Amino acid sequence: MPGIIRFAPSPTGFLHEGHLLSALYVCAAAKKWDLKIHLRIEDHDQGRARKEYIDGIREDLAWFGFKYDSESIQSSHFDFFQKVLDKLTAKGLVYPCTCSRKQLQSENPVSETGEVIYQGKCRTQAAPCSGPHSLRVVIPDKVINWHDERLGDFAENPKNQCGDFPIRDRDGFWTYQFAVCIDDLAEGITHIVRGEDIRNSTARQIALSQLIADTCQGDPDVPLPPYTRPLYLHHPLIVDSSGKKLSKREHAYSLRQDKDRGKSPQELLGQILYKAGFLSDNTPTTLEQAIATIAGRL
Ligand code: GLU
Ligand code: ZN
């Protein structure tokens, strides 16, 4: 059976160059490894997702000529997410956390990457939970050894990277980590290719996926396959001329703004390949050429 790779944009804005580069890498990996492509709209954050962005993402992908074999949207899985949460809760693997953002910052150490390493305060001091709270998952204290096809081997313990992390936030929305783990499992994703900025999430996603799969195993109410770890590849991000990653602000400029200014898909593809270091100038490029160029370097 062919493997499956996914492109998983969040509809919290229109597509920008960072998304375009990810989509090209996903297609290049699919070409190289002969995979099916799945488009997943990651609208887990219902506070920020908007219908116009969901429609916009589909339109923009079609404008470039991207093709995919299947499609899903996370909001149609929310009932399933709840069932998985119930299973984890029944096993004592979830607890409410009433810490405010301020408390989280002041009461916990911070990692090298600037993340709060939650020390488990609310796990040990159960507070009455009438006010706002997130739900955190008890994450095993265990080193995860994993491999990235481009970056090599990693040995990371999520307990030391971030501690127990939220699977539902204080606004009651499912978190990225929880939603992505369930969907990657449920949709049978075998290959994960995405930007290097998410590399830090990989060990915790491996740990949480394992926990979810083990907890749900054999329960017909939450049908999930046993966990098999996907192949990972985290691609480089576009950098500016001084070698710094493009900021959110620079990315704020969407591809549809370029389109509205009269740029063609081929011009934008040439531009992105040039910025990502695949071409020495920004000669217009077809989608097929762009994918083949990246596939040749994977
Ligand atoms: N939805 C995430 C994003 O747009 C990508 C998630 C992933 O590829 O794991 O940044
Ligand atoms: Zn807490």
Side-chain angles (χ1 to χ4, degrees):
M1 224 171 52
I4 308 178
I5 193 166
R6 85 290 198 284
F7 175 53
S10 301
T12 54
F14 290 113
L15 289 187
H16 55 58
E17 283 184 328
H19 294 115
L20 179 58
L21 185 62
S22 279
L24 288 171
Y25 264 98
V26 164
C27 293
K31 184 179 166 72
K32 176 169 168 156
W33 288 305
D34 196 18
L35 309 169
K36 297 267 183 214
I37 301 176
H38 180 77
L39 170 69
R40 180 194 307 139
I41 305 284
E42 297 209 321
D43 63 341
H44 59 90
D45 183 349
Q46 291 284 294
R48 291 168 67 216
R50 287 191 2 214
K51 177 155 188 330
E52 77 175 296
Y53 297 141
I54 297 171
D55 296 341
I57 288 171
R58 292 200 185 104
E59 282 163 22
D60 292 349
L61 290 174
W63 184 67
F64 280 104
F66 283 107
K67 301 240 177 348
Y68 33 89
D69 300 286
S70 55
E71 187 182 337
S72 66
I73 183 158
Q74 279 180 330
S75 47
S76 65
H77 307 159
F78 287 174
D79 290 348
F80 190 73
F81 294 177
Q82 181 64 49
K83 283 189 194 165
V84 175
L85 168 64
D86 293 343
K87 290 288 290 182
L88 292 171
T89 308
K91 273 188 94 183
L93 293 170
V94 175
Y95 61 93
C97 167
T98 53
C99 298
S100 65
R101 186 175 293 243
K102 227 169 143 183
Q103 279 174 313
L104 289 173
Q105 297 281 352
S106 63
E107 294 173 1
N108 296 285
V110 171
S111 72
E112 281 166 23
T113 56
E115 262 189 290
V116 163
I117 310 169
Y118 187 65
Q119 301 295 292
K121 179 179 172 185
C122 297
R123 168 144 63 135
T124 49
Q125 304 171 20
C129 207
S130 48
H133 61 275
S134 62
L135 294 176
R136 287 183 188 267
V137 61
V138 178
I139 212 75
D141 188 359
K142 193 176 132 194
V143 174
I144 307 284
N145 292 292
W146 65 279
H147 178 78
D148 181 287
E149 286 297 307
R150 185 177 74 92
L151 300 167
D153 293 328
F154 292 89
E156 296 171 324
N157 185 343
K159 208 80 182 175
N160 304 330
Q161 290 183 303
C162 60
D164 295 343
F165 53 85
I167 59 174
R168 216 172 66 187
D169 68 23
R170 282 165 76 85
D171 297 318
F173 300 133
W174 302 110
T175 63
Y176 158 61
Q177 304 294 2
F178 189 57
V180 81
C181 286
I182 298 178
D183 278 349
D184 283 339
L185 260 169
E187 293 170 349
I189 302 301
T190 56
H191 290 65
I192 295 184
V193 171
R194 58 189 178 190
E196 212 168 63
D197 51 339
I198 318 180
R199 188 193 64 67
N200 246 342
S201 285
T202 303
R204 71 196 76 165
Q205 288 176 9
I206 292 171
L208 180 55
S209 302
Q210 187 75 65
L211 203 64
I212 292 170
D214 290 352
T215 305
C216 297
Q217 208 54 72
D219 185 338
D221 263 0
V222 270
L224 283 173
Y227 181 54
T228 21
R229 197 184 286 188
L231 172 146
Y232 286 99
L233 188 154
H234 292 86
H235 65 74
L237 305 175
I238 305 168
V239 292
D240 66 16
S241 47
S242 65
K244 273 202 345 240
K245 177 189 155 188
L246 283 195
S247 69
K248 280 247 162 59
R249 211 185 154 70
E250 287 156 305
H251 271 328
Y253 198 70
S254 70
L255 294 166
R256 66 175 41 201
Q257 280 169 291
D258 290 315
K259 175 182 166 189
D260 292 344
R261 284 169 58 221
K263 293 260 189 190
S264 69
Q266 293 74 25
E267 282 174 303
L268 292 173
L269 288 164
Q271 189 175 300
I272 192 98
L273 285 196
Y274 169 61
K275 285 191 187 177
F278 288 106
L279 295 178
S280 54
D281 59 33
N282 60 359
T283 312
T285 306
T286 66
L287 181 62
E288 288 65 32
Q289 278 169 339
I291 294 170
T293 302
I294 298 182
R297 305 262 206 105
L298 283 181

